[in-house]
Amino acid sequence: MATTTQAIAAPTGLLAHVLAAHHAGKIIRTFPGPGGLTGIVMEYNGSKAIAYLTPDGKYLISGLVANLENGHNMTNSYGLKYIGKVDILKGQAASRIAFQCASLSGITVGNKMAKNYMIAVFDPSTPMGHKVMAAMMGEAGEMQKKGALNVMALKLVPIGPLAPAILSAGNRGREDRLLNVLHHQPAGATISLGSRFAARNNTVLSQIPMKPPFLVIYFPQANMEAAIPVHNLLRVGSAVGSAEVLANSVQNPAGAR
């Protein structure tokens, strides 16, 4: 039995070294994944996530891994098996949150007329919120290159003490102000309109049973809604990966020619 486990398991030394060097958590356990991948349960600040290593142990895959023959979400199944019930809302509960979040003021990237969207709510004045903001801004550029933003919109919603200044500009100006915050520079001047936008966001969010930072995926064209609290950046990668898969399925539906 030990020989079989060694034969299928990817070496984890490089990943363990990278996690330790960046204080990004640790490996809790490994398990046989699909297609020759090695599943990894990773923990950071008490939160766990599923990821995968390629057979040589050099590449980490974080996000949705699906069985294309039956559409089964393998990552979700492994999460239930090796982590337990995860705090992700789906169905009508997620739809209600998506409906509420649709009215939030923020920065829209991608197709503003799209029926499908992903929303990230974060406080850039906090360490975790700042990391989520940086990750989402980076992912936005990558999703644009892949064409995922042709059929969806990505909305970034800042909250907290920096929100009034960020929201005191038009959409393009808000992007620039987020970049300022990303580089630890002043966001810009605050006007009364920005303060009102921020106050209204706070009112809406006070009615939502989920504490920021969190992500909302709303893809009615793919019959998918989810509200996902963010405890670590693996959650961001997983959610973005799911959104990219959904966007691709909308652009290239099965049987399309």
Side-chain angles (χ1 to χ4, degrees), residues 232-244:
N232 53 57
L233 295 185
L234 285 175
R235 271 284 176 90
V236 174
S238 178
V240 170
S242 298
E244 289 178 344

Side-chain angles (χ1 to χ4, degrees), residues 4 109 136 156:
T4 302
V109 183
M136 291 304 301
L156 307 177

Side-chain angles (χ1 to χ4, degrees), residues 100-226:
Q100 291 170 300
C101 288
S103 67
L104 296 175
S105 298
I107 298 89
T108 302
V109 183
N111 183 359
K112 297 178 178 61
M113 302 303 293
K115 296 180 180 179
N116 313 294
Y117 52 87
M118 182 175 185
I119 302 172
V121 181
F122 54 89
D123 182 348
S125 70
T126 67
M128 190 62 214
H130 192 275
K131 290 179 181 179
V132 171
M133 174 188 68
M136 291 304 301
M137 292 176 73
E139 293 289 357
E142 292 300 314
M143 294 174 78
Q144 186 73 64
K145 292 177 184 177
K146 296 174 183 177
L149 295 182
N150 294 336
V151 294
M152 67 175 286
L154 174 63
K155 180 184 279 189
L156 307 177
V157 180
I159 61 172
L162 297 175
I166 295 171
L167 298 175
S168 291
N171 193 68
R172 178 57 193 167
R174 292 175 183 179
E175 287 189 55
D176 293 336
R177 292 186 177 211
L178 275 185
L179 285 172
N180 288 343
V181 174
L182 180 63
H183 295 109
H184 303 285
Q185 299 173 354
T190 299
I191 62 174
S192 59
L193 186 60
S195 296
R196 289 200 296 272
F197 284 145
R200 184 166 59 83
N201 281 358
N202 290 337
T203 299
V204 173
L205 289 169
S206 68
Q207 304 168 23
I208 294 176
M210 187 168 284
K211 183 179 179 181
F214 65 83
L215 305 175
V216 174
I217 297 177
Y218 183 66
F219 268 70
Q221 291 181 312
N223 195 31
M224 173 64 182
E225 305 91 18

